[in-house]
């Protein structure tokens, strides 16, 4: 394993949810557990890579030998990733980054004076698309969690964000987030592969092996 294409390579991975502050005590977030990203960090380390994990708030123990950079918001995750992007060979965006964040966070706790409260939200930066658009850029891998037409939307996302590879997984009430197992279908510009249904740890190992193969092919000439 350790003499595969990822041995000695720098792999940057995002994991977990982000928290978008509403006021000093409240935030918007999502159900991501970070398990897939942490499993990928573990598997990449197993493959001999130097791994940096930019992680939103999760209750997981980081894999041994992996450098963790803890962040909260999408903006912080973006800043930490962009600070490291030039130095990495492979980027894997496994975080469930909030798509929207409050336009402003209130300086003090919002009081419940009124019956209705409106929050105005603004789009967050797309970290994955920013990495793919960076020059020089790492081999860039994204995730597509979809509730329907999984492969079709993933193929579209691969092209639209300019990725080297995308891992698509069906999500819904009994699949995906905050679970130990997962189903992955992987697509790249010239092909696709079914990685099956397995534990996140096993799927992470399969995905890292495939990333090593594709990365090795693109960087062998
Ligand atoms: O467009 P969508 O959010 O479905 O894309 C999912 C992929 O994009 C994931 O790999 C996720 O980590 C990444 N992403 C990101 N920054 C965002 C939104 C999504 O890196 N603001």
């Amino acid at each position: 394993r350790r003499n595969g294409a990822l041995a000695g390579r720098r792999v940057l991975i995002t994991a977990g949810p982000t928290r978008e502050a509403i006021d000093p005590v409240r935030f918007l977030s999502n159900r991501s557990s970070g398990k897939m990203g942490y499993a990928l960090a573990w598997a990449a380390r197993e493959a001999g890579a130097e791994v940096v994990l930019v992680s939103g708030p999760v209750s997981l123990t980081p894999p041994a030998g992996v450098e963790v950079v803890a962040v909260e918001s999408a903006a912080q995750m973006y800043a930490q990733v962009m600070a490291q992007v030039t130095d990495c060979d492979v980027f894997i965006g496994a975080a469930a980054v909030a798509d929207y964040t409050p336009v402003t966070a209130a300086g003090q706790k919002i009081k419940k004076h009124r019956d209705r409260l409106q929050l105005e939200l603004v789009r967050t930066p797309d970290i994955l698309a920013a990495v793919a658009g960076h020059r020089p850029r790492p081999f860039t891998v994204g995730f597509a969690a979809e509730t329907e037409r999984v492969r079709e939307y993933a193929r579209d996302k691969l092209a639209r964000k300019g990725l080297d590879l995308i891992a698509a997984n069906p999500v819904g009430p009994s699949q995906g987030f905050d679970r130990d197992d997962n189903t992955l279908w992987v697509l790249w510009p010239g092909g696709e592969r079914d990685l099956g249904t397995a534990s996140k740890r096993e799927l992470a190992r399969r995905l890292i092996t495939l990333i090593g193969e594709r990365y090795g092919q693109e960087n062998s000439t």
Side-chain angles (χ1 to χ4, degrees):
R1 270 188 180 274
R2 281 175 187 276
N3 41 34
L6 295 183
R9 298 293 164 193
R10 289 182 66 89
V11 176
L12 181 62
I13 302 174
T14 63
T18 64
R19 287 180 179 174
E20 309 303 320
I22 296 170
D23 69 18
V25 297
R26 303 183 179 99
F27 55 79
L28 295 173
S29 192
N30 60 65
R31 296 184 189 282
S32 169
S33 64
K35 282 176 186 160
M36 195 67 215
Y38 275 59
L40 286 164
W42 170 82
R45 182 79 199 119
E46 277 274 301
E50 266 179 56
V51 184
V52 178
L53 185 57
V54 180
S55 178
V58 297
S59 51
L60 298 172
T61 307
V66 167
E67 180 188 339
V68 178
V69 179
V71 298
E72 288 226 342
S73 66
Q76 289 169 359
M77 187 173 276
Y78 177 86
Q80 291 297 334
V81 166
M82 295 321 275
Q84 310 230 20
V85 67
T86 317
D87 287 337
C88 72
D89 301 297
V90 175
F91 174 79
I92 308 173
V97 184
D99 291 322
Y100 291 90
T101 191
V103 171
T104 53
Q108 305 298 331
K109 185 181 172 191
I110 298 170
K111 304 300 285 178
K112 50 178 177 292
H113 295 313
R114 290 168 294 171
D115 283 345
R116 286 173 182 241
L117 176 67
Q118 287 209 348
L119 280 179
E120 195 182 354
L121 308 179
V122 59
R123 285 284 297 272
T124 55
D126 190 319
I127 301 168
L128 184 59
V131 169
H134 194 269
R135 297 292 180 271
R137 69 172 204 149
F139 184 91
T140 308
V141 180
F143 273 79
E146 304 287 357
T147 55
E148 58 172 353
R149 293 158 75 183
V150 178
R151 282 166 64 191
E152 182 187 335
Y153 287 154
R155 179 68 65 193
D156 175 68
K157 200 169 290 182
L158 178 76
R160 189 162 33 84
K161 297 200 190 197
L163 310 178
D164 294 297
L165 192 140
I166 195 159
N169 62 300
V171 290
S174 61
Q175 292 186 99
F177 277 16
D178 202 16
R179 291 177 57 91
D180 288 323
D181 58 350
N182 206 354
T183 300
L184 284 187
W185 191 277
V186 180
L187 306 94
W188 59 92
E192 54 186 76
R193 191 183 297 175
D194 183 358
L195 293 189
T197 299
S199 69
K200 286 182 177 173
R201 185 169 260 235
E202 174 56 27
L203 279 178
R205 203 188 261 141
R206 293 178 195 169
L207 181 55
I208 288 294
T209 300
L210 179 54
I211 290 170
E213 284 172 30
R214 303 296 323 150
Y215 171 78
Q217 284 200 3
E218 289 198 8
N219 291 275
S220 60
T221 44

